[in-house]
Amino acid sequence: MDEARVRAALKELGQPAYRWDQVRRAVYDQAAASYEEIAGLPPETRRALAQRAPILCLTERRVQVSPDGRARKALLTLSDGKVVETVLLRPSPTRWTTCISSQVGCAVACTFCATGLMGLSRSLTPEEIADQVLFWRQYMRREGLEGRLDNVVYMGMGEPFHCYDAVAESLRRLTDQKGLAIGSRHVSVSTAGVAPKIARFGREFPQINLALSLHAADDELRTRLVPLNKAYPLAALAEALKTYLKETNRKVFFEWVLLKGENDRDRDAEALIAWLKDLGPAALLHVNLIVYNQTDTPHRPSSEADARRFQARLLAAGVKSTVRQNLGRDIDGACGQLVVLEKAG
Ligand code: SAH
Ligand code: SF4
């Protein structure tokens, strides 16, 4: 919701100041999907607001639900006709998480990522980013889904630190107590490693979780998988992370998509262990091993046994690590599968 626009419209309509509070509560606390639902507003004000300041700046094109109902993927149309995807996940019976996009496409072009294959179309506005969460709150209410959506990860389409300002503003909106009121510690931003923005993020958002998509701990391999590594190689990332850790004293999550025979070998685990050693206290470093979701790329997923072996090596060296459960594969809504296909429409 474009708050400034709603407030300006209310003012133009000659409405008293408390009207904004009515709208705000209905939209954020009750997930009202239209002004018609806001009983306290005069009917003509509802109609005028709907025309001048729509609650959502994006519209639902389609929602797919996984057979077990634990993952849902929405295709949302933006005002210029472009489309983004956003995912709603239920990792446990009462907890809901959304995985939101920050860009249409992505310029980083990681070789294993479906979004990367499409290139960058444009970045989203703060409103388009935050409205994905509002969309799911409305959806949950409409569908009668129990529980609260109070966890947000920036792991959908796009590289959040390639549109830092818009992401920063969206974070302020998500965590605004008078807005979506999501706890800062329940929000995570994942980056492919835009080093200068990592330190800045730590200064500006010390309470928000940071995830770094590492995937390789040697420059040659990492540059091949994540071309951004050329601009910000591992040494630059290490420096940025040291600053981040010192300033925030917060845990950093490292994402590592396990690709068969490419980065799941013993020597890859050893390189990771060595690289993490100098970064900071082991208690603040956590590696998320992600089973590769098949996309239209030449990679293959590691076997479960390989994933466990890799994890065991890390654990034996005192590196905390988990193998991430993957929800949403059956609707192409898992990590790295977020891409808008022509056939999707
Ligand atoms: N651009 C950001 C955030 C979006 S990607 C980033 O890369 O961090 C979110 C996560 O999905 C990243 O960790 C990314 O590496 C991972 N991912 C991408 N493609 C994947 C795939 N095919 N299978 C599993 N995870 C993938
Ligand atoms: Fe972009 Fe992240 Fe996909 Fe890499 S993994 S192409 S950075 S969205």
Side-chain angles (χ1 to χ4, degrees):
M1 177 165 66
D2 186 341
E3 294 190 3
R5 197 159 152 190
V6 177
R7 294 171 95 137
L10 283 169
K11 206 167 169 196
E12 276 165 31
L13 294 165
Q15 293 297 311
Y18 66 83
R19 290 278 184 236
W20 161 243
D21 223 43
Q22 276 180 315
V23 172
R24 184 181 66 71
R25 281 176 202 276
V27 168
Y28 291 127
D29 302 348
Q30 279 117 47
S34 84
Y35 292 109
E36 290 304 318
E37 294 172 35
I38 310 179
L41 291 180
E44 64 281 3
T45 306
R46 292 183 213 161
R47 279 191 295 275
L49 279 177
Q51 279 186 345
R52 295 178 195 204
I55 294 176
L56 283 184
C57 68
L58 23 83
T59 52
E60 174 180 333
R61 184 145 141 199
R62 147 178 116 161
V63 176
Q64 279 169 277
V65 184
S66 70
D68 64 6
R70 295 177 67 196
R72 290 151 204 261
K73 179 171 80 167
L75 232 49
L76 301 173
T77 308
L78 310 173
S79 56
D80 60 358
K82 295 192 192 306
V83 181
V84 279
E85 294 183 336
T86 172
V87 175
L88 179 68
L89 301 166
R90 199 192 64 197
S92 74
T94 52
R95 285 190 46 226
W96 292 89
T97 291
T98 176
C99 174
I100 61 174
S101 296
S102 55
Q103 298 183 306
V104 184
C106 183
V108 178
C110 298
T111 56
F112 47 82
C113 172
T115 304
L117 291 177
M118 67 188 277
L120 176 68
S121 179
R122 74 165 168 89
S123 297
L124 301 187
T125 64
E127 192 188 356
E128 287 167 339
I129 300 172
D131 273 5
Q132 294 169 58
V133 182
L134 200 47
F135 165 79
W136 284 122
R137 286 245 175 107
Q138 293 180 3
Y139 173 90
M140 284 179 63
R141 177 172 166 235
R142 186 178 87 201
E143 298 290 314
L145 300 179
E146 277 175 36
R148 204 175 138 74
L149 168 53
D150 56 6
N151 216 61
V152 178
V153 297
Y154 284 64
M155 292 189 185
M157 302 166 81
E159 167 48 45
F161 286 174
H162 273 168
C163 48
Y164 186 93
D165 293 339
V167 164
E169 178 56 23
S170 71
L171 288 170
R172 287 188 276 272
R173 292 181 188 200
L174 292 193
T175 54
D176 180 358
Q177 280 311 306
K178 291 189 160 186
L180 284 153
I182 307 234
S184 293
R185 289 174 181 247
H186 293 263
V187 181
S188 303
V189 174
S190 176
T191 177
V194 184
K197 298 294 185 335
I198 290 176
R200 180 172 167 197
F201 181 73
R203 274 194 308 278
E204 294 177 2
F205 299 98
Q207 302 294 322
I208 291 180
N209 303 304
L210 174 70
L212 173 72
S213 295
L214 194 61
H215 313 307
D218 92 73
D219 275 316
E220 195 248 301
L221 177 59
R222 189 163 194 272
T223 299
R224 192 146 47 83
L225 297 174
V226 184
L228 185 67
N229 192 65
K230 235 192 170 110
Y232 306 110
L234 288 159
L237 285 183
E239 280 317 303
L241 286 168
K242 281 181 194 166
T243 309
Y244 177 90
L245 287 163
K246 241 186 252 139
E247 285 190 2
T248 63
N249 209 31
R250 296 292 312 281
K251 205 187 257 184
V252 173
F253 297 84
F254 297 90
E255 316 281 312
W256 192 284
V257 175
L258 287 164
L259 305 169
K260 190 175 182 59
E262 296 185 86
N263 68 352
D264 66 348
R265 303 156 302 180
D266 290 347
R267 68 170 125 128
D268 300 306
E270 294 309 327
L272 173 57
I273 291 163
W275 190 74
L276 291 176
K277 215 182 186 122
D278 293 336
L279 276 189
L284 296 184
L285 310 173
H286 189 110
V287 177
N288 266 327
L289 299 169
I290 308 172
V291 178
Y292 168 67
N293 297 310
Q294 196 66 54
T295 56
D296 208 5
T297 70
H299 305 282
R300 291 284 161 269
S302 302
S303 65
E304 185 147 351
D306 285 344
R308 292 290 164 209
R309 191 178 33 77
F310 195 96
Q311 184 194 23
R313 269 192 114 82
L314 298 185
L315 293 174
V319 174
K320 286 197 285 184
S321 68
T322 40
V323 180
R324 191 153 87 193
Q325 71 166 323
N326 263 311
L327 295 172
R329 280 177 169 211
D330 35 14
I331 53 166
D332 283 355
C335 299
Q337 290 182 324
L338 297 185
V339 63
V340 180
L341 302 168
E342 278 311 310
K343 66 173 196 250

